[in-house]
Amino acid sequence: MANLIQSEYTGLLQVHSNKEGLSSGKELYNNICAACHGSKADIKYKSIVPNLCDVKTIADYAWHYKKGTRNRYNMTEVMQEKIKTLSKQDFLDTELYIKSLCARLARSQDAKKEAKDKSRQKSSTPKAQK
């Protein structure tokens, strides 16, 4: 299976700005994907499909689901119905938006971990004796 982004469709991301792509991708994601994959793309659908933050080539996978050349997790019929009207650019815009969600989620998790580590350090520091 050829990677959509690294092959014939590389120039599609240059069709419009990242701002336009993010806006379009956000609308598509919220209308089509969020119900199954969560508002932050962090839901493991049906406990078998990885959350989208763990998928490197989302647009490529979606394109192959649309064409019927991918049937991982037996989801082809479900995916084809949901994405049948989307273009290659739609897939790339949606991937751009999902990756922005995942980056924000990762930063949030890092900040929580840092705060927890600082809290542990404070609690493990011996108190001064009077």
Side-chain angles (χ1 to χ4, degrees):
M1 178 170 19
N3 185 322
L4 162 72
I5 295 168
Q6 292 178 353
S7 63
E8 61 192 284
Y9 307 110
T10 303
L12 283 174
L13 280 175
Q14 298 168 355
V15 170
H16 50 249
S17 72
N18 278 356
K19 185 177 179 182
E20 291 168 318
L22 280 171
S23 177
S24 173
K26 179 179 182 178
E27 183 179 335
L28 290 165
Y29 183 82
N30 288 332
N31 290 331
I32 297 171
C33 313
C36 296
H37 295 286
S39 63
K40 296 178 184 175
D42 61 345
I43 301 295
K44 189 172 182 178
Y45 182 69
K46 289 193 172 187
S47 299
I48 56 167
V49 178
N51 73 60
L52 295 179
C53 290
D54 290 340
V55 178
K56 288 183 176 43
T57 56
I58 298 162
D60 186 54
Y61 284 5
W63 181 249
H64 284 286
Y65 271 124
K66 180 178 176 170
K67 291 177 19 183
T69 55
R70 181 177 178 79
N71 191 24
R72 191 124 193 231
Y73 314 111
N74 294 317
M75 298 304 297
T76 297
E77 287 182 31
V78 172
M79 289 295 293
Q80 281 181 324
E81 183 59 32
K82 290 187 171 288
I83 64 177
K84 65 185 172 191
T85 61
L86 301 183
S87 70
K88 296 166 198 133
Q89 186 64 55
D90 292 335
F91 292 129
L92 292 168
D93 290 347
T94 304
E95 178 173 314
L96 183 65
Y97 176 68
I98 291 167
K99 289 187 175 185
S100 77
L101 284 176
C102 297
R104 281 185 257 152
L105 182 64
R107 285 192 302 271
S108 171
Q109 289 172 341
D110 288 346
K112 286 178 186 174
K113 185 176 185 266
E114 253 182 58
K116 193 174 184 178
D117 290 346
K118 283 181 183 178
S119 175
R120 280 190 191 144
Q121 287 174 350
K122 283 183 183 179
S123 65
S124 66
T125 304
K127 294 183 180 182
Q129 294 182 354
K130 293 184 180 183

Coordinates of all heavy atoms in Angstrom, one line a residue, residues 20-98:
E20 N -6.5 27.7 6.7 CA -7.7 27.2 6.0 C -7.8 25.7 6.1 O -8.9 25.2 6.3 CB -7.6 27.5 4.5 CG -7.7 29.0 4.2 CD -7.3 29.3 2.8 OE1 -6.3 28.8 2.3 OE2 -8.0 30.2 2.2
G21 N -6.7 25.0 6.1 CA -6.7 23.5 6.2 C -7.2 23.1 7.6 O -8.0 22.2 7.7
L22 N -6.7 23.8 8.6 CA -7.1 23.5 10.0 C -8.6 23.8 10.2 O -9.3 23.0 10.8 CB -6.4 24.3 11.0 CG -5.0 23.8 11.3 CD1 -4.2 24.9 12.2 CD2 -5.0 22.5 12.1
S23 N -9.1 24.9 9.6 CA -10.5 25.2 9.7 C -11.4 24.2 9.0 O -12.4 23.7 9.6 CB -10.8 26.6 9.1 OG -12.2 26.9 9.2
S24 N -11.0 23.8 7.8 CA -11.7 22.8 7.1 C -11.7 21.4 7.8 O -12.7 20.7 7.9 CB -11.2 22.7 5.7 OG -11.8 21.6 5.0
G25 N -10.4 21.1 8.2 CA -10.2 19.8 8.9 C -11.0 19.7 10.2 O -11.6 18.7 10.5
K26 N -11.1 20.8 10.9 CA -11.9 20.8 12.2 C -13.3 20.6 11.9 O -14.0 19.8 12.6 CB -11.7 22.2 12.9 CG -12.5 22.3 14.2 CD -12.3 23.6 14.8 CE -13.0 23.7 16.2 NZ -12.8 25.0 16.9
E27 N -13.9 21.2 10.9 CA -15.3 21.0 10.6 C -15.6 19.6 10.2 O -16.5 18.9 10.6 CB -15.7 22.0 9.5 CG -17.2 21.9 9.1 CD -17.5 22.9 8.0 OE1 -16.9 23.9 7.8 OE2 -18.5 22.6 7.3
L28 N -14.7 19.1 9.3 CA -14.9 17.7 8.9 C -14.7 16.7 10.0 O -15.5 15.8 10.2 CB -13.8 17.3 7.8 CG -14.0 18.0 6.4 CD1 -12.8 17.9 5.6 CD2 -15.2 17.4 5.7
Y29 N -13.7 16.9 10.9 CA -13.5 16.0 12.0 C -14.7 16.0 12.9 O -15.2 15.0 13.3 CB -12.2 16.4 12.8 CG -12.0 15.4 13.9 CD1 -11.4 14.2 13.6 CD2 -12.4 15.7 15.2 CE1 -11.2 13.3 14.7 CE2 -12.3 14.7 16.2 CZ -11.6 13.5 15.9 OH -11.5 12.6 16.9
N30 N -15.1 17.2 13.3 CA -16.3 17.3 14.2 C -17.5 16.7 13.7 O -18.3 16.1 14.4 CB -16.5 18.7 14.7 CG -15.4 19.2 15.6 OD1 -14.8 18.4 16.3 ND2 -15.1 20.5 15.6
N31 N -17.8 16.8 12.4 CA -19.0 16.3 11.7 C -18.9 14.8 11.4 O -20.0 14.2 11.4 CB -19.3 17.1 10.5 CG -19.7 18.5 10.8 OD1 -20.3 18.8 11.8 ND2 -19.5 19.4 9.9
I32 N -17.8 14.3 11.2 CA -17.7 12.9 10.7 C -16.9 12.0 11.7 O -17.4 10.9 12.0 CB -17.0 12.8 9.4 CG1 -17.8 13.6 8.3 CG2 -16.7 11.4 8.9 CD1 -17.1 13.8 7.0
C33 N -15.9 12.4 12.3 CA -15.0 11.5 13.0 C -15.2 11.5 14.5 O -15.0 10.5 15.2 CB -13.5 11.9 12.7 SG -13.1 12.1 11.0
A34 N -15.5 12.7 15.1 CA -15.5 12.8 16.6 C -16.5 11.9 17.3 O -16.2 11.5 18.4 CB -15.8 14.3 16.9
A35 N -17.6 11.5 16.6 CA -18.5 10.6 17.3 C -17.9 9.3 17.7 O -18.2 8.8 18.8 CB -19.7 10.4 16.4
C36 N -17.0 8.8 16.9 CA -16.3 7.5 17.2 C -15.0 7.7 17.8 O -14.6 6.9 18.7 CB -16.2 6.7 15.9 SG -17.7 6.2 15.2
H37 N -14.2 8.7 17.4 CA -12.8 8.9 17.8 C -12.6 9.9 18.9 O -11.5 10.1 19.4 CB -12.0 9.2 16.6 CG -11.9 8.1 15.6 ND1 -11.1 7.0 15.8 CD2 -12.4 8.0 14.4 CE1 -11.3 6.2 14.7 NE2 -12.0 6.8 13.9
G38 N -13.7 10.5 19.4 CA -13.7 11.5 20.5 C -13.3 12.9 20.0 O -12.7 13.1 19.0
S39 N -13.7 13.9 20.8 CA -13.5 15.3 20.4 C -12.0 15.6 20.4 O -11.6 16.6 19.7 CB -14.2 16.2 21.4 OG -13.7 16.0 22.7
K40 N -11.2 14.8 21.0 CA -9.7 15.1 21.0 C -8.9 14.0 20.3 O -7.7 14.0 20.4 CB -9.2 15.2 22.5 CG -9.8 16.4 23.2 CD -9.3 16.4 24.6 CE -10.0 17.5 25.4 NZ -9.6 17.5 26.8
A41 N -9.6 13.2 19.5 CA -9.0 12.1 18.8 C -8.2 11.1 19.6 O -7.3 10.5 19.2 CB -8.1 12.6 17.7
D42 N -8.7 11.0 20.9 CA -7.9 10.2 21.8 C -8.7 9.0 22.3 O -8.3 8.3 23.3 CB -7.5 11.0 23.1 CG -8.7 11.6 23.8 OD1 -9.8 11.6 23.2 OD2 -8.5 12.1 24.9
I43 N -9.8 8.6 21.6 CA -10.6 7.5 22.0 C -10.2 6.3 21.2 O -10.0 6.3 20.0 CB -12.1 7.8 21.7 CG1 -12.6 9.0 22.5 CG2 -13.0 6.5 22.0 CD1 -12.6 8.9 24.0
K44 N -10.1 5.2 21.9 CA -9.7 3.9 21.3 C -11.1 3.3 20.9 O -11.8 2.7 21.7 CB -9.0 3.0 22.2 CG -8.4 1.8 21.6 CD -7.5 1.0 22.5 CE -6.9 -0.2 21.8 NZ -6.0 -0.9 22.7
Y45 N -11.5 3.4 19.6 CA -12.8 3.0 19.2 C -13.1 1.5 19.3 O -12.2 0.7 18.9 CB -13.0 3.4 17.7 CG -14.4 3.1 17.2 CD1 -15.5 3.7 17.6 CD2 -14.5 2.1 16.2 CE1 -16.8 3.4 17.2 CE2 -15.8 1.8 15.7 CZ -16.9 2.4 16.2 OH -18.2 2.1 15.7
K46 N -14.2 1.1 20.0 CA -14.6 -0.2 20.2 C -13.5 -1.0 20.9 O -13.4 -2.2 20.8 CB -15.0 -0.9 18.9 CG -16.3 -0.4 18.4 CD -16.8 -1.4 17.3 CE -18.3 -1.0 17.0 NZ -18.9 -1.9 16.0
S47 N -12.6 -0.4 21.6 CA -11.5 -1.0 22.3 C -10.5 -1.7 21.4 O -9.7 -2.5 21.9 CB -12.0 -1.9 23.4 OG -12.8 -1.2 24.3
I48 N -10.6 -1.5 20.1 CA -9.6 -2.2 19.2 C -8.9 -1.3 18.3 O -7.8 -1.5 18.0 CB -10.3 -3.4 18.4 CG1 -11.5 -2.9 17.6 CG2 -10.7 -4.5 19.3 CD1 -12.0 -3.8 16.6
V49 N -9.6 -0.3 17.8 CA -9.0 0.7 16.8 C -8.2 1.7 17.6 O -8.7 2.3 18.5 CB -10.1 1.4 16.0 CG1 -9.5 2.4 15.1 CG2 -11.0 0.4 15.3
P50 N -6.9 1.8 17.3 CA -6.1 2.8 18.1 C -6.6 4.2 18.0 O -7.3 4.5 17.0 CB -4.7 2.7 17.4 CG -4.8 1.6 16.4 CD -6.2 1.2 16.2
N51 N -6.4 5.0 19.0 CA -6.8 6.4 19.0 C -6.0 7.0 17.8 O -4.9 6.6 17.5 CB -6.6 7.1 20.3 CG -5.2 7.4 20.7 OD1 -4.5 8.1 20.0 ND2 -4.8 6.8 21.8
L52 N -6.6 8.0 17.2 CA -6.0 8.6 16.1 C -4.6 9.3 16.3 O -3.8 9.5 15.4 CB -6.9 9.6 15.4 CG -8.2 9.0 14.9 CD1 -9.1 10.0 14.3 CD2 -7.9 7.9 13.8
C53 N -4.4 9.7 17.6 CA -3.1 10.3 17.9 C -1.9 9.2 17.8 O -0.8 9.6 17.7 CB -3.1 10.8 19.3 SG -4.1 12.3 19.5
D54 N -2.3 8.0 17.7 CA -1.3 6.9 17.6 C -1.1 6.5 16.1 O -0.3 5.6 15.8 CB -1.6 5.7 18.4 CG -1.5 5.9 19.9 OD1 -0.8 6.9 20.3 OD2 -2.1 5.2 20.7
V55 N -1.8 7.1 15.2 CA -1.7 6.8 13.8 C -0.9 7.8 13.0 O -1.2 9.0 13.1 CB -3.1 6.7 13.1 CG1 -3.1 6.4 11.7 CG2 -4.0 5.6 13.9
K56 N 0.1 7.4 12.4 CA 1.0 8.4 11.7 C 0.5 8.9 10.4 O 0.7 10.0 10.0 CB 2.4 7.7 11.5 CG 3.2 7.6 12.8 CD 4.6 7.0 12.5 CE 5.5 6.9 13.6 NZ 5.0 6.4 14.9
T57 N -0.1 8.1 9.6 CA -0.6 8.5 8.3 C -2.1 8.3 8.2 O -2.7 7.5 7.5 CB 0.1 7.6 7.2 OG1 -0.2 6.2 7.5 CG2 1.6 7.8 7.1
I58 N -2.8 9.2 8.9 CA -4.3 9.2 8.9 C -4.9 9.3 7.6 O -5.8 8.6 7.2 CB -4.8 10.3 9.9 CG1 -4.2 10.0 11.3 CG2 -6.3 10.4 9.9 CD1 -4.3 11.2 12.2
A59 N -4.4 10.3 6.8 CA -5.0 10.6 5.5 C -4.8 9.4 4.6 O -5.8 9.0 3.8 CB -4.4 11.8 4.8
D60 N -3.7 8.8 4.6 CA -3.4 7.6 3.8 C -4.4 6.4 4.2 O -5.0 5.8 3.3 CB -2.0 7.1 4.0 CG -1.6 6.0 3.1 OD1 -1.7 6.1 1.9 OD2 -1.1 5.0 3.6
Y61 N -4.5 6.2 5.5 CA -5.4 5.1 5.9 C -6.8 5.4 5.5 O -7.5 4.5 5.0 CB -5.4 5.0 7.4 CG -4.2 4.3 8.0 CD1 -3.1 3.9 7.2 CD2 -4.1 4.0 9.4 CE1 -2.0 3.3 7.8 CE2 -2.9 3.4 9.9 CZ -1.9 3.1 9.1 OH -0.8 2.4 9.6
A62 N -7.3 6.6 5.7 CA -8.7 7.0 5.3 C -8.9 6.8 3.8 O -9.9 6.3 3.3 CB -9.0 8.4 5.7
W63 N -7.9 7.3 3.0 CA -8.0 7.1 1.5 C -8.1 5.7 1.1 O -9.0 5.3 0.3 CB -6.8 7.8 0.9 CG -6.9 7.7 -0.6 CD1 -6.1 7.0 -1.5 CD2 -7.8 8.4 -1.5 NE1 -6.5 7.1 -2.8 CE2 -7.6 8.0 -2.8 CE3 -8.9 9.2 -1.2 CZ2 -8.3 8.5 -3.9 CZ3 -9.6 9.7 -2.3 CH2 -9.3 9.3 -3.6
H64 N -7.4 4.8 1.7 CA -7.4 3.4 1.4 C -8.7 2.7 1.9 O -9.3 1.8 1.3 CB -6.2 2.6 1.9 CG -5.0 2.9 1.1 ND1 -4.8 2.3 -0.2 CD2 -3.9 3.7 1.3 CE1 -3.7 2.7 -0.7 NE2 -3.1 3.5 0.2
Y65 N -9.3 3.2 3.0 CA -10.6 2.8 3.5 C -11.6 3.2 2.4 O -12.5 2.4 2.1 CB -11.0 3.4 4.8 CG -10.5 2.6 6.0 CD1 -9.8 3.2 7.0 CD2 -10.9 1.3 6.2 CE1 -9.4 2.5 8.1 CE2 -10.5 0.6 7.3 CZ -9.8 1.2 8.3 OH -9.4 0.5 9.4
K66 N -11.6 4.4 1.9 CA -12.5 4.9 0.9 C -12.5 4.0 -0.3 O -13.5 3.7 -0.9 CB -12.2 6.3 0.6 CG -13.2 6.9 -0.4 CD -13.0 8.4 -0.7 CE -13.9 8.8 -1.8 NZ -13.9 10.2 -2.0
K67 N -11.2 3.7 -0.8 CA -11.1 2.9 -2.0 C -11.4 1.4 -1.8 O -11.5 0.7 -2.7 CB -9.6 3.0 -2.5 CG -9.3 4.4 -3.1 CD -7.9 4.7 -3.5 CE -7.1 3.5 -3.8 NZ -5.7 3.8 -4.2
G68 N -11.4 1.0 -0.5 CA -11.7 -0.4 -0.2 C -10.5 -1.3 -0.2 O -10.6 -2.5 -0.2
T69 N -9.3 -0.6 -0.1 CA -8.0 -1.4 -0.1 C -7.5 -1.6 1.3 O -6.4 -2.0 1.4 CB -7.0 -0.7 -1.1 OG1 -6.8 0.6 -0.6 CG2 -7.4 -0.8 -2.5
R70 N -8.2 -1.2 2.3 CA -7.8 -1.4 3.7 C -9.0 -1.9 4.4 O -10.1 -1.3 4.3 CB -7.3 0.0 4.3 CG -6.9 -0.2 5.7 CD -6.4 1.2 6.2 NE -6.0 1.1 7.6 CZ -4.8 0.5 8.0 NH1 -3.9 0.1 7.2 NH2 -4.5 0.5 9.3
N71 N -8.8 -2.9 5.2 CA -9.9 -3.4 6.0 C -9.4 -3.8 7.4 O -9.8 -4.8 8.0 CB -10.6 -4.6 5.4 CG -11.9 -5.0 6.1 OD1 -12.5 -4.1 6.7 ND2 -12.3 -6.2 6.0
R72 N -8.5 -3.0 8.0 CA -8.0 -3.3 9.3 C -9.1 -3.1 10.3 O -9.9 -2.2 10.2 CB -6.9 -2.3 9.6 CG -6.1 -2.7 10.8 CD -4.7 -2.9 10.5 NE -4.0 -3.5 11.6 CZ -2.9 -3.1 12.2 NH1 -2.4 -2.0 11.7 NH2 -2.3 -3.7 13.2
Y73 N -9.2 -4.0 11.2 CA -10.2 -4.0 12.3 C -11.7 -4.2 11.7 O -12.6 -3.9 12.4 CB -10.2 -2.7 13.1 CG -8.8 -2.3 13.5 CD1 -8.2 -1.2 13.0 CD2 -8.1 -3.1 14.4 CE1 -6.9 -0.8 13.3 CE2 -6.8 -2.7 14.8 CZ -6.2 -1.6 14.2 OH -4.9 -1.2 14.6
N74 N -11.8 -4.7 10.5 CA -13.1 -4.9 9.8 C -13.9 -3.7 9.8 O -15.1 -3.7 10.1 CB -13.8 -6.1 10.5 CG -13.1 -7.4 10.3 OD1 -12.6 -7.7 9.2 ND2 -13.0 -8.2 11.3
M75 N -13.3 -2.5 9.5 CA -14.1 -1.3 9.6 C -14.3 -0.6 8.2 O -14.8 0.5 8.1 CB -13.3 -0.2 10.4 CG -13.1 -0.7 11.9 SD -14.7 -1.0 12.8 CE -15.5 0.6 12.7
T76 N -14.0 -1.3 7.1 CA -14.2 -0.8 5.8 C -15.6 -0.3 5.5 O -15.8 0.9 5.1 CB -13.7 -1.8 4.7 OG1 -12.4 -2.0 4.9 CG2 -13.9 -1.2 3.3
E77 N -16.6 -1.1 5.8 CA -18.0 -0.7 5.5 C -18.4 0.6 6.2 O -19.0 1.5 5.7 CB -18.9 -1.8 5.7 CG -18.9 -2.9 4.7 CD -19.9 -4.0 5.0 OE1 -21.0 -3.7 5.5 OE2 -19.6 -5.1 4.6
V78 N -18.0 0.6 7.5 CA -18.4 1.8 8.4 C -17.6 3.0 7.8 O -18.2 4.1 7.7 CB -18.0 1.5 9.8 CG1 -18.1 2.8 10.7 CG2 -18.8 0.4 10.4
M79 N -16.3 2.9 7.6 CA -15.6 4.0 7.2 C -16.0 4.5 5.8 O -16.1 5.7 5.5 CB -14.1 3.6 7.1 CG -13.5 3.5 8.5 SD -13.4 5.0 9.4 CE -12.3 6.0 8.5
Q80 N -16.2 3.6 4.9 CA -16.6 4.0 3.5 C -17.9 4.8 3.5 O -18.0 5.8 2.8 CB -16.8 2.7 2.6 CG -15.5 2.2 2.1 CD -15.7 1.0 1.2 OE1 -16.6 0.2 1.4 NE2 -14.8 0.9 0.2
E81 N -18.9 4.4 4.4 CA -20.1 5.1 4.4 C -19.9 6.6 5.0 O -20.5 7.5 4.5 CB -21.1 4.4 5.3 CG -22.5 5.0 5.4 CD -23.2 5.2 4.1 OE1 -23.0 4.3 3.2 OE2 -24.0 6.2 3.9
K82 N -19.0 6.7 5.9 CA -18.8 8.0 6.6 C -18.0 8.9 5.7 O -18.2 10.1 5.7 CB -18.1 7.8 7.9 CG -19.0 7.2 9.0 CD -18.3 7.3 10.3 CE -19.3 6.9 11.4 NZ -20.3 7.9 11.7
I83 N -17.1 8.4 4.9 CA -16.1 9.2 4.2 C -16.3 9.2 2.7 O -15.5 9.8 1.9 CB -14.7 8.9 4.5 CG1 -14.3 7.4 4.1 CG2 -14.4 9.1 6.0 CD1 -12.9 7.0 4.4
K84 N -17.4 8.6 2.2 CA -17.5 8.5 0.7 C -17.5 9.7 -0.1 O -17.1 9.7 -1.2 CB -18.8 7.7 0.4 CG -20.1 8.4 0.8 CD -21.3 7.5 0.6 CE -22.5 8.1 1.2 NZ -23.6 7.2 1.2
T85 N -17.9 10.9 0.5 CA -17.9 12.1 -0.3 C -16.6 13.0 -0.1 O -16.5 14.0 -0.7 CB -19.1 13.0 0.1 OG1 -19.0 13.3 1.5 CG2 -20.4 12.2 -0.1
L86 N -15.7 12.5 0.7 CA -14.5 13.3 1.0 C -13.4 13.2 -0.1 O -13.2 12.1 -0.7 CB -13.9 12.9 2.3 CG -14.8 13.0 3.5 CD1 -14.0 12.7 4.8 CD2 -15.4 14.4 3.6
S87 N -12.7 14.3 -0.4 CA -11.7 14.3 -1.3 C -10.3 14.0 -0.7 O -10.2 14.0 0.6 CB -11.6 15.7 -2.0 OG -11.1 16.7 -1.0
K88 N -9.3 13.9 -1.5 CA -7.9 13.7 -0.9 C -7.6 14.9 -0.1 O -7.0 14.8 1.0 CB -6.9 13.5 -2.0 CG -7.2 12.3 -2.8 CD -6.4 12.3 -4.1 CE -7.0 11.3 -5.1 NZ -7.2 11.8 -6.4
Q89 N -7.9 16.1 -0.5 CA -7.6 17.3 0.2 C -8.3 17.3 1.6 O -7.8 17.7 2.6 CB -7.9 18.6 -0.5 CG -7.5 19.9 0.2 CD -6.0 20.0 0.3 OE1 -5.3 19.9 -0.7 NE2 -5.5 20.2 1.5
D90 N -9.6 16.8 1.6 CA -10.3 16.7 2.8 C -9.6 15.8 3.8 O -9.5 16.1 5.0 CB -11.7 16.2 2.6 CG -12.6 17.1 1.8 OD1 -12.4 18.4 1.9 OD2 -13.6 16.6 1.2
F91 N -9.1 14.7 3.3 CA -8.3 13.8 4.2 C -7.1 14.5 4.8 O -6.8 14.4 6.0 CB -7.9 12.5 3.5 CG -9.1 11.6 3.1 CD1 -9.2 11.2 1.8 CD2 -10.0 11.3 4.1 CE1 -10.3 10.4 1.5 CE2 -11.1 10.4 3.7 CZ -11.2 10.0 2.4
L92 N -6.4 15.2 4.0 CA -5.2 15.9 4.4 C -5.5 17.0 5.4 O -4.8 17.2 6.4 CB -4.4 16.4 3.2 CG -3.8 15.4 2.3 CD1 -3.3 16.0 1.0 CD2 -2.7 14.6 3.1
D93 N -6.6 17.8 5.1 CA -7.0 18.8 6.1 C -7.4 18.2 7.4 O -7.0 18.7 8.5 CB -8.2 19.6 5.5 CG -7.8 20.5 4.3 OD1 -6.6 20.7 4.1 OD2 -8.8 21.0 3.7
T94 N -8.1 17.1 7.4 CA -8.5 16.5 8.6 C -7.3 15.9 9.4 O -7.3 16.1 10.6 CB -9.5 15.3 8.3 OG1 -10.6 15.9 7.5 CG2 -10.1 14.7 9.6
E95 N -6.4 15.4 8.7 CA -5.2 14.9 9.3 C -4.4 16.1 10.0 O -3.9 16.0 11.1 CB -4.2 14.2 8.3 CG -2.9 13.7 9.0 CD -2.1 12.9 8.1 OE1 -2.6 11.9 7.5 OE2 -0.8 13.1 8.1
L96 N -4.3 17.2 9.3 CA -3.7 18.4 9.8 C -4.3 18.8 11.1 O -3.7 19.0 12.1 CB -3.7 19.5 8.8 CG -3.0 20.8 9.2 CD1 -1.5 20.6 9.2 CD2 -3.4 21.9 8.1
Y97 N -5.7 18.8 11.2 CA -6.4 19.2 12.4 C -6.2 18.1 13.5 O -5.9 18.5 14.6 CB -7.9 19.3 12.1 CG -8.7 19.6 13.3 CD1 -8.5 20.8 14.0 CD2 -9.5 18.6 13.9 CE1 -9.2 21.1 15.1 CE2 -10.2 18.9 15.0 CZ -10.1 20.1 15.7 OH -10.8 20.4 16.8
I98 N -6.3 16.8 13.1 CA -6.1 15.8 14.1 C -4.7 15.9 14.8 O -4.5 15.8 16.0 CB -6.3 14.4 13.5 CG1 -7.8 14.2 13.2 CG2 -5.8 13.3 14.5 CD1 -8.1 13.0 12.3

